[in-house]
Amino acid sequence: MQKRISNLPFKGTPEQKQKLDEVIKKHKQEKGAILPVLQEAQDIYGYLPAEVQSIIAEGLGVPLEEVYGVSTFYSQFSLTPKGKYNVSICLGTACYVKGAAAVLDRVSAVLGIQPEECTPDGKFSLTACRCVGACGLAPVLTVNGDVYGRMTPEEVDQVLAKYE
């Protein structure tokens, strides 16, 4: 699944930038510094927007393409911000066969965003994941760890309303 770039403008603070500069300085001389710097940068910002990746590349003296390559290779990294409520739809085999795509389509329509996007107000983000390990409850939707099993498109509005 290809990672999307954020649909929201970057809003980093001077404090976050200072922390990132300290992280880069701490790891600059290490071999393979990109991975730990990206991990700590994501802890600082919550995701890895292009602006942060550029700062990392410049600070470590490596090509931006290399930083982007690492950030898109590992699934632990997100290029988009997460909303207050992260809605995730499992698209693993069991969930997919039992109708997860239709549930995802409904969530997308209700929230007005696609997977890996965040609503403009920052309230909801949407993720399509591979497996949540609850195959017996397929299809599964989660909201910040709350699990909703045997979901149907018709139940999506009711679930999302709990978080309004």
Side-chain angles (χ1 to χ4, degrees):
M1 185 175 302
Q2 186 176 350
K3 292 188 179 183
R4 292 181 185 248
I5 304 298
S6 177
N7 60 322
L8 299 177
F10 175 64
K11 295 180 181 176
T13 67
E15 294 81 13
Q16 289 172 316
K17 172 70 165 68
Q18 182 179 352
K19 285 181 184 178
L20 180 58
D21 288 342
E22 291 168 8
V23 167
I24 291 169
K25 183 178 178 183
K26 176 174 76 173
H27 293 285
K28 189 173 178 83
Q29 302 306 318
E30 296 175 11
K31 185 175 181 172
I34 295 173
L35 190 59
V37 170
L38 285 172
Q39 289 168 329
E40 291 188 49
Q42 183 161 279
D43 288 342
I44 293 167
Y45 290 93
Y47 71 116
L48 298 170
E51 295 84 354
V52 169
Q53 293 180 55
S54 293
I55 294 167
I56 292 169
E58 184 176 319
L60 293 177
V62 299
L64 177 58
E65 294 81 5
E66 192 173 339
V67 174
Y68 180 76
V70 174
S71 67
T72 57
F73 179 79
Y74 292 100
S75 62
Q76 66 181 300
F77 297 126
S78 175
L79 304 185
T80 59
K82 298 297 176 209
K84 180 178 178 184
Y85 302 109
N86 185 41
V87 181
S88 185
I89 311 297
C90 178
L91 293 180
T93 303
C95 287
Y96 192 81
V97 167
K98 293 198 172 191
V103 174
L104 176 61
D105 289 345
R106 181 63 191 158
V107 173
S108 184
V110 170
L111 297 179
I113 57 174
Q114 295 298 311
E116 302 309 320
E117 291 182 350
C118 187
T119 56
D121 63 3
K123 192 164 191 179
F124 290 97
S125 54
L126 179 58
T127 305
C129 64
R130 288 290 164 220
C131 185
V132 295
C135 302
L137 297 175
V140 174
L141 174 148
T142 63
V143 181
N144 290 2
D146 295 337
V147 178
Y148 299 91
R150 297 184 181 89
M151 285 296 301
T152 64
E154 296 76 26
E155 296 170 315
V156 166
D157 296 54
Q158 182 181 358
V159 169
L160 295 179
K162 293 180 184 180
Y163 300 92
E164 283 298 329

